[in-house]
Amino acid sequence: MAKSAEEENQQKAFGWAATDNSGILSPFNFSRRENGDDDVTLKILYCGVCHSDLHTLRNDWGFSFYPVVPGHEISGVVTKVGKNVTKFNIGDRVGVGVLVGSCKTCECCEQDLENYCPRIIFTYNSYNPDGTKNYGGYSDMIVVDQRYVLRFPDNLPLDAGAPLLCAGITVYSPMKYYGMTEAGKHLGVAGLGGLGHVAVKIGKAFGLKVTVISSSPQKESEAINRLGADSFLVSNDPEKMKSAIGTMDYIIDTVSAVHPLLPLLTLLKVNGKLVTVGLPNKPLELPVFPLVMGRKLIGGSDVGGMKETQEMLDFCAKHNITADIELIRIEEINTAMERLAKSDVRYRFVIDVANSLSQ
């Protein structure tokens, strides 16, 4: 039986997907588009496991479209390039992050802020303009427009470097935009998970004094001895929090659970900045008094554009920054998700896709 025109432009792919809000992943056959003139096809070698994957699998945010193949911390090698592709060659080490498309013509896109484009196309749980659905990196291969593919520096490992494509740029971008990079200044990092541990490393690379703010006192030794933080502040210890009032220039808040902002705001100096990058599933209460009385700023940030993400990868390679990872096989992913929900990971799961994904 002859293939339809649509089928002719598709190729087989294989991954793991969730089909409902139980979030349980299982093997899944699906299709990707054939490599177009502007496209790059890559064989996926590794894919990081982001907290956003867990939220999406369980429909915590209310906009999951099943089946969902998660994964937006993708690293691999180029296997095919379109005739218009000038940036990449077969065999190149590359990555794909949170987005795979945008309109390319709006003000945001023209300013290399594709991540804020009103017509952004996410790597998974998203639809293309032609109505086809996107599936993420818990799979064997992916086809992406060359604009949204990133080059991995030679000395940046593909496994421990993969989480930088989300966790790394999520903390690097606000630090650059909000001016949180002045050497000698004091940075607080709230939350020591996938985002927080990378924020500590990037903060130290900028020459900042870094204090980890956490409700888990057992993480103190890791924060200081393993990650390089200068100090550790237990957020549920009233005396220690009181002693740190007004000592920090900046705080990057990576906590994805509902939590009070007032204790963090009190830690800031006059003119201090609190930038939140976590995504709790319920609104946070914003106390205005400390903002007004201390001329303090609270802001947000969401990953980064393609130019800045490449800049971040190059910065991390220069400073030997990678994520601390636990490498897992794809068949271990459901157990990993259960552990992630309990914050039982140091500090990012990465799936060894090439060595464990098979039909």
Side-chain angles (χ1 to χ4, degrees):
M1 186 175 179
K3 290 184 178 180
S4 67
E6 182 177 354
E7 289 174 325
E8 288 285 355
N9 293 321
Q10 299 287 311
Q11 55 184 318
K12 292 181 179 179
F14 178 69
W16 279 48
T19 57
D20 57 44
N21 65 5
S22 71
I24 300 298
L25 292 144
S26 58
F28 178 65
N29 290 287
F30 62 102
S31 297
R32 301 266 194 206
R33 71 173 182 269
E34 284 289 351
N35 200 85
D37 292 345
D38 297 306
D39 287 336
V40 173
T41 296
L42 59 143
K43 176 183 178 181
I44 298 174
L45 299 182
Y46 301 99
C47 186
V49 179
C50 178
H51 215 284
S52 297
D53 298 348
L54 179 62
H55 283 304
T56 305
L57 288 172
R58 297 181 176 181
N59 198 26
D60 289 340
W61 295 326
F63 49 77
S64 297
F65 307 105
Y66 298 99
V68 172
V69 176
H72 58 207
E73 298 177 346
I74 302 166
S75 64
V77 294
V78 176
T79 58
K80 191 180 295 185
V81 295
K83 67 179 183 181
N84 296 335
V85 174
T86 58
K87 297 167 60 178
F88 302 100
N89 297 301
I90 292 173
D92 284 352
R93 303 163 76 251
V94 295
V96 176
V98 175
L99 64 153
V100 293
S102 63
C103 76
K104 302 181 181 179
T105 59
C106 70
E107 185 176 0
C108 288
C109 287
E110 289 178 350
Q111 294 178 3
D112 298 310
L113 296 171
E114 299 96 336
N115 54 309
Y116 296 116
C117 173
R119 288 192 278 164
I120 187 173
I121 302 172
F122 293 107
T123 303
Y124 71 88
N125 196 48
S126 185
Y127 288 89
N128 294 301
D130 63 2
T132 57
K133 189 175 181 179
N134 281 332
Y135 298 105
Y138 296 14
S139 57
D140 56 359
M141 52 83 69
I142 192 168
V143 183
V144 182
D145 184 309
Q146 65 172 330
R147 176 168 176 158
Y148 308 97
V149 179
L150 297 144
R151 183 178 301 280
F152 256 67
D154 291 340
N155 68 319
L156 192 63
L158 291 174
D159 52 359
L164 299 175
L165 295 164
C166 176
I169 188 58
T170 295
V171 296
Y172 181 88
S173 182
M175 291 174 75
K176 290 296 295 281
Y177 177 77
Y178 288 101
M180 301 161 65
T181 60
E182 187 179 342
K185 294 287 189 179
H186 190 179
L187 170 71
V189 176
L192 192 63
L195 298 180
H197 91 286
V198 177
V200 171
K201 296 182 180 186
I202 290 177
K204 291 303 297 180
F206 280 129
L208 299 170
K209 175 185 176 183
V210 178
T211 295
V212 170
I213 308 162
S214 172
S215 60
S216 305
Q218 68 272 20
K219 292 184 178 180
E220 180 172 0
S221 178
E222 291 182 27
I224 294 173
N225 299 323
R226 179 173 166 179
L227 301 175
D230 296 284
S231 57
F232 189 91
L233 183 60
V234 181
S235 59
N236 50 14
D237 185 322
E239 286 303 312
K240 290 184 178 179
M241 288 292 287
K242 184 177 180 180
S243 68
I245 288 174
T247 61
M248 299 180 189
D249 299 287
Y250 329 117
I251 296 174
I252 186 160
D253 182 1
T254 71
V255 179
S256 59
V258 175
H259 60 288
L261 295 176
L262 180 60
L264 297 178
L265 288 170
T266 62
L267 299 176
L268 291 171
K269 299 177 182 178
V270 171
N271 299 324
K273 301 172 184 178
L274 169 63
V275 180
T276 179
V277 294
L279 290 171
N281 58 7
K282 293 181 181 178
L284 302 184
E285 182 177 331
L286 177 61
V288 174
F289 235 84
L291 298 181
V292 173
M293 302 307 292
R295 199 163 68 176
K296 297 172 184 178
L297 177 150
I298 184 165
S301 183
D302 180 32
V303 294
M306 303 316 300
K307 182 179 178 181
E308 188 175 47
T309 304
Q310 186 64 60
E311 175 188 307
M312 177 276 305
L313 288 176
D314 295 340
F315 177 90
C316 288
K318 178 181 178 181
H319 294 278
N320 296 311
I321 295 171
T322 58
D324 286 22
I325 67 169
E326 288 189 41
L327 196 63
I328 63 169
R329 296 178 61 83
I330 188 68
E331 61 267 25
E332 299 172 303
I333 187 59
N334 289 310
T335 300
M337 287 296 178
E338 292 175 7
R339 287 181 56 195
L340 179 60
K342 300 173 185 174
S343 300
D344 177 22
V345 55
R346 297 290 186 274
Y347 282 92
R348 201 66 148 192
F349 289 118
V350 172
I351 305 167
D352 186 355
V353 175
N355 289 317
S356 65
L357 184 65
S358 59
Q359 299 194 48

